[in-house]
Amino acid sequence: SQELEQSPQSLIVQEGKNLTINCTSSKTLYGLYWYKQKYGEGLIFLMMLQKGGEEKSHEKITAKLDEKKQQSSLHITASQPSHAGIYLCGADGTGTASKLTFGTGTRLQVTL
Amino acid sequence: DADVTQTPRNRITKTGKRIMLECSQTKGHDRMYWYRQDPGLGLQLIYYSFDVKDINKGEISDGYSVSRQAQAKFSLSLESAIPNQTALYFCATSEGTSGSTHSRTQYFGPGTRLLVL
């Protein structure tokens, strides 16, 4: 079965600083999804990557999928308090998007 | 109005009781999913349904059952609740398997926080 490892598990950054969260898969990724979760609430879809080397951006968040399609990174530029939450990566390991495997999440705190 | 709604949002029950969590969606999606989230364990898939007549077990289906009453409704039942089923439960939907990002993406409800005493 596919396993996803996220690092770091938690992160505290000062407002305005940049940060990177990583998601590493034990198998080839056919699709990699990034979600954000406010504490105790639902998951909000951020971005989905499919192709090796693909990069997508939304506002100050950029996600990349490596050429080998086994690792993805999520980069936040000039962090703000609104970026605080839990970031989860989800992997489609079959190419059918029938089931996703999720990482355990990275908890981000942004201090003033 | 939210596209994916879950009821109740919070529930406290006792060991041995039967409870049902409900999920409704207005997105018109064929696929629906139930997950549970435990601290430090990420999301685990309980059941998923590709249409009204197609229901499949996920990773952790023991102790749970589901019913897909209509395209828009997917309910999760705990036949006899036990304390280790205390968790945050999420419903999600997706359109299908076409190649588009939008079609494959799962959209989540706000969650139901369940406490089994």
Side-chain angles (χ1 to χ4, degrees):
Chain A
S1 62
Q2 184 155 32
E3 293 184 0
L4 285 182
E5 185 174 326
Q6 281 188 243
S7 62
Q9 288 186 325
S10 64
L11 196 52
I12 302 173
V13 299
Q14 193 173 24
E15 184 178 4
K17 298 294 186 183
N18 302 335
L19 64 107
T20 299
I21 298 169
N22 293 302
C23 178
T24 302
S25 172
S26 58
K27 298 183 180 180
T28 300
L29 295 163
Y30 291 93
L32 190 287
Y33 301 76
W34 282 102
Y35 289 87
K36 178 187 174 185
Q37 181 182 18
K38 287 284 192 182
Y39 300 114
E41 297 182 11
L43 281 67
I44 299 168
F45 171 68
L46 297 175
M47 281 172 277
M48 184 261 197
L49 305 164
Q50 277 186 291
K51 300 176 183 177
E54 187 175 10
E55 180 175 321
K56 289 186 177 178
S57 293
H58 177 66
E59 298 180 343
K60 294 185 177 180
I61 300 176
T62 300
K64 300 178 185 180
L65 183 62
D66 73 342
E67 291 288 345
K68 292 184 178 180
K69 295 172 59 175
Q70 284 193 270
Q71 185 169 35
S72 178
S73 61
L74 186 82
H75 184 78
I76 298 177
T77 303
S79 58
Q80 301 169 349
S82 61
H83 289 129
I86 300 171
Y87 289 83
L88 293 121
C89 60
D92 172 11
T94 65
T96 63
S98 58
K99 292 187 287 183
L100 297 184
T101 300
F102 284 87
T104 54
T106 295
R107 186 179 294 264
L108 172 64
Q109 290 179 249
V110 180
T111 61
L112 298 175
Chain B
D1 289 339
D3 294 320
V4 184
T5 57
Q6 292 184 235
T7 55
R9 293 294 313 278
N10 293 281
R11 179 74 185 268
I12 300 174
T13 192
K14 294 182 179 179
T15 296
K17 295 290 187 181
R18 182 182 188 276
I19 67 163
M20 179 182 290
L21 309 182
E22 298 188 352
C23 177
S24 295
Q25 52 113 347
T26 58
K27 299 180 80 68
H29 288 172
D30 285 328
R31 299 184 167 198
M32 298 186 75
Y33 309 80
W34 275 106
Y35 292 90
R36 65 177 278 174
Q37 185 180 38
D38 298 274
L41 290 180
L43 287 160
Q44 295 173 282
L45 183 64
I46 306 172
Y47 272 95
Y48 60 105
S49 170
F50 286 172
D51 64 40
V52 174
K53 295 181 181 179
D54 180 30
I55 293 178
N56 306 277
K57 292 183 177 181
E59 309 166 74
I60 55 163
S61 59
D62 288 348
Y64 301 94
S65 62
V66 291
S67 174
R68 185 83 184 266
Q69 300 95 323
Q71 185 204 39
K73 295 184 182 296
F74 193 35
S75 59
L76 176 72
S77 293
L78 285 68
E79 297 301 325
S80 179
I82 55 176
N84 76 1
Q85 290 179 311
T86 293
L88 187 54
Y89 289 85
F90 288 108
C91 173
T93 74
S94 67
E95 188 176 298
T97 57
S98 76
S100 73
T101 298
H102 175 76
S103 173
R104 291 167 174 260
T105 298
Q106 292 185 22
Y107 297 91
F108 285 77
T112 294
R113 188 173 296 278
L114 175 65
L115 173 61
V116 183
L117 300 174

